[in-house]
Amino acid sequence: MRNRLLSALAICLLTGGAWAGEIIQVKPLDFGVVALRNNDNIYNYQINPDGSRKYDPNIVVIEQGHPAEFLLSGFQAGSYLHITTSLPESANSLSHGGNAGSRFTIKQLNVKPWVRTNAKGEARVWVGATLATSGEGHYLDAKYDNPHITLQITH
């Protein structure tokens, strides 16, 4: 059972000053291709903002994934930006789009809370996440995705 796990990130920009910035998604959050030895318990797969990974031995990583990457631009040079993420509880599962098979759940989003812009008023942000299996049922060989994560920037 091989599963492609992707999560596109919806983007929300909240600015607290006169500088209106722009957020460009460079890479979507991608958990890669994984297989489960069995689904008899809830197992976690974590991708950190720095690209490091931690996962249970029952999860077999076939293709490495990566955190989401965003380019923030149009901000004042040298300013600190506060980064927060949110995931509505009703939108925290990764589905392959059909009714059969189990779903993955995003338990937590991982992001550094602050970033400082460079001399051009730009900064890069990486967002990771912790994914959990259902602990029951089976997964279909399919692409699982969820477009409902929100990234918020304030300064």
Side-chain angles (χ1 to χ4, degrees):
M1 146 184 36
R2 293 169 50 141
N3 305 294
R4 170 57 91 181
L5 304 170
L6 294 168
S7 185
L9 296 179
I11 302 168
C12 177
L13 175 63
L14 302 175
T15 59
W19 295 89
E22 181 180 7
I23 303 173
I24 298 168
Q25 182 175 297
V26 177
K27 286 190 225 176
L29 176 62
D30 185 347
F31 287 95
V33 177
V34 300
L36 290 174
R37 296 185 198 281
N38 58 54
N39 194 25
D40 61 351
N41 204 343
I42 295 174
Y43 301 113
N44 294 317
Y45 177 32
Q46 180 177 331
I47 294 182
N48 295 309
D50 66 3
S52 64
R53 293 160 194 81
K54 187 166 79 172
Y55 48 89
D56 188 277
N58 279 306
I59 296 175
V60 178
V61 178
I62 297 167
E63 282 181 31
Q64 297 287 342
H66 53 76
E69 180 181 354
F70 295 92
L71 173 63
L72 313 179
S73 63
F75 292 93
Q76 185 175 13
S79 63
Y80 287 91
L81 305 177
H82 183 242
I83 314 296
T84 58
T85 57
S86 62
L87 180 68
E89 191 172 318
S90 62
N92 69 349
S93 70
L94 294 174
S95 166
H96 61 81
N99 293 326
S102 295
R103 293 177 178 263
F104 292 94
T105 302
I106 297 177
K107 291 176 33 176
Q108 175 182 337
L109 298 173
N110 309 316
V111 65
K112 289 184 178 181
W114 293 95
V115 65
R116 187 173 183 195
T117 60
N118 63 19
K120 296 179 185 178
E122 298 175 339
R124 293 206 180 252
V125 173
W126 290 268
V127 180
T130 301
L131 189 75
T133 64
S134 66
E136 61 186 17
H138 66 283
Y139 287 94
L140 303 176
D141 290 348
K143 178 180 173 180
Y144 290 73
D145 55 39
N146 177 329
H148 302 289
I149 299 168
T150 301
L151 177 67
Q152 298 173 337
I153 312 295
T154 55
H155 66 102

